[in-house]
Structure formats: structure tokens, C-alpha cells
Amino acid sequence: MKKLEEKIEYSFKDKSLLEEALTHSSYANDCQLRINNERMEFLGDAILSLVSAQYLYEKFPDLPEGDLSKIRSSLVCTRSLSDFAREIDLGSYLKLGRGEMKTGGSNRDSNLENAFEALIAAIYLDGGMEQARKHILRFLDRDIDTSNIGVKDYKTTLQEVIQKNKDETLNYVIVREDGPAHDKIFEAEVHVNSNVVGSGVGRSKKQAEQEAAKEALSLMGII
């Protein structure tokens, strides 16, 4: 367990929490133990959801909810979490029942995903939210740039293009707002200096601005 602690760069004060996180239900059944990692998996999943949501909310301030959800789904899916677990060789430390071990349970995606979430919970229970957040972001902050998320932050891309010419200024204007409070439609224009270079419509101001930036980039031949 010391080797695992070195890999995750966290040392447990209460080693029993780490033991529980690594105990698969099959091992608990074989050994007639009352504790396995399923409850920790439940807690870890909730912590992961909160940390990843806050991280993406702060990292992409202009992306609408739908795009943020797509990114989070890609980052915390079974494939991603099992790959994170493999990076720290988590399967080698799992306590598995005889049948589960014989059928390759230490490398099964579902077992690795669950163990990774349980490990998050163990760190949280032992060291608090900041330690759990640090552990999660070690993976997410690095993986965000290489994930095939299929989402573009068009406003950031357009900003980078316009910044190449210091004489040009970029701003967004909401020119139309229709519909009841619970179902509004917004139209935005993106201006470079005083010229309209794109417009877009969305169910939020940010989404409309994204669509306007997308149109501007398209008209420029960049996308």
C-alpha cells in the first residue's frame, strides 16, 4: 500500500480507509467480510461529479451547459476512469475474490472505474475535499487538452485571432431577446471595432455569443 500511496502522492492517516477502497465485493463475500468498496464508490462518484463540474465551469466560462455536460461525460466516462486507474496500476492492489481474479477482474474496466471512485472517497474521508480535488485534477487538468470532446470554444478561438492585430477590438452585443422568462431566445452580434462580423441565436446569452463567434470564424475561413 505504501507503493500505491507514493503513486497517488497521498499518505493516509487512516490506512483502513484505503483497505476498504481496495476491497471488491467478491473478496468480501469469499472472506465473509461485512465491508467492501461499493459505498465508497457511491460517495466518490458524487465527489468526482462536483469537482469536475466546478473545474469545467471555471475553465470554460463562455461554454453553455450542454457543451459542459458533453466535456464532463467524456472526461469521467468508464473508459477514462479505468485508464486513470491503470496509470497508477490500481488493479494490482485490488482485493478480489477467487472467481473474479480468475476471469481477469483486476483489469476489468468496471472494476477499475469503481475502485478509482472509491479511492477518491477514501482520500476525501481521510484528508478532506481539497486533497480529493487535488487527486482528481491531477488527471482531469492534464487530460482535458487531449480528450476527443467534440466541443469548440469559438469565443476563445476568435479572441485569439483578433488579438493578433492590436488595433482591433472585439465585443458582443445582445440585439434581441424574445419569449417568456423560462424559455427565452437570445440573438447576439459579434463586433470587430464597429463592424458586425457574425451573429448567432441561442437559449442563453452565452450560447448566442458562441454561435456568433462560430459564424465569424466560418466567414473568415478559419473553421
Side-chain angles (χ1 to χ4, degrees):
M1 292 213 298
K2 185 176 181 181
K3 288 183 179 179
L4 179 58
E5 287 179 322
E6 290 173 357
K7 288 178 180 178
I8 64 175
E9 299 178 8
Y10 181 78
S11 180
F12 281 83
K13 297 182 286 290
D14 184 351
K15 305 295 184 185
S16 68
L17 291 170
L18 180 55
E19 290 273 5
E20 183 176 342
L22 298 173
T23 302
H24 190 265
S25 58
S26 62
Y27 181 89
N29 290 336
D30 281 1
C31 298
Q32 297 184 331
L33 301 177
R34 299 177 64 182
I35 293 176
N36 60 52
N37 66 4
E38 290 179 351
R39 281 170 51 84
M40 279 193 171
E41 173 204 337
F42 167 79
L43 177 58
D45 177 68
I47 296 167
L48 176 62
S49 180
L50 174 61
V51 170
S52 60
Q54 181 180 0
Y55 168 71
L56 294 173
Y57 180 84
E58 293 172 352
K59 187 173 181 66
F60 300 106
D62 295 317
L63 282 185
E65 180 271 340
D67 285 350
L68 293 175
S69 294
K70 290 178 185 177
I71 300 174
R72 184 172 64 175
S73 295
S74 174
L75 283 176
V76 301
C77 66
T78 297
R79 177 64 182 272
S80 295
L81 296 182
S82 60
D83 284 348
F84 295 159
R86 288 186 180 94
E87 286 186 35
I88 55 176
D89 197 25
L90 193 58
S92 297
Y93 302 94
L94 282 180
K95 294 182 176 181
L96 301 169
R98 291 183 294 274
E100 191 69 20
M101 183 68 75
K102 288 179 180 178
T103 57
S106 62
N107 195 43
R108 186 171 294 124
D109 282 356
S110 58
N111 287 343
L112 292 174
E113 174 191 15
N114 295 342
F116 189 81
E117 290 175 338
L119 180 59
I120 290 171
I123 293 173
Y124 166 75
L125 292 169
D126 190 71
M129 180 59 86
E130 194 52 43
Q131 289 296 334
R133 187 191 314 276
K134 181 180 177 182
H135 173 71
I136 292 168
L137 294 186
R138 279 182 58 205
F139 298 92
L140 295 195
D141 196 37
R142 176 214 62 207
D143 210 53
I144 187 71
D145 294 325
T146 57
S147 289
N148 182 22
I149 57 179
V151 172
K152 297 290 185 182
D153 185 351
Y154 297 109
K155 287 183 66 175
T156 298
T157 301
L158 183 59
Q159 181 72 32
E160 291 170 351
V161 171
I162 299 303
Q163 282 178 342
K164 293 178 181 178
N165 190 334
K166 295 182 180 179
D167 295 329
E168 295 183 336
T169 58
L170 178 71
N171 68 291
Y172 294 84
V173 179
I174 301 298
V175 295
R176 184 170 62 89
E177 184 176 327
D178 292 330
H182 67 281
D183 191 26
K184 283 189 175 295
I185 295 293
F186 299 90
E187 182 178 358
E189 291 180 347
V190 56
H191 295 192
V192 174
N193 297 331
S194 59
N195 301 314
V196 178
V197 296
S199 63
V201 175
R203 293 190 173 277
S204 69
K205 292 179 181 180
K206 288 184 177 180
Q207 184 180 9
E209 291 171 354
Q210 281 287 340
E211 292 300 321
K214 180 180 179 180
E215 181 178 87
L217 292 167
S218 178
L219 292 172
M220 293 176 184
I222 295 173
I223 61 173

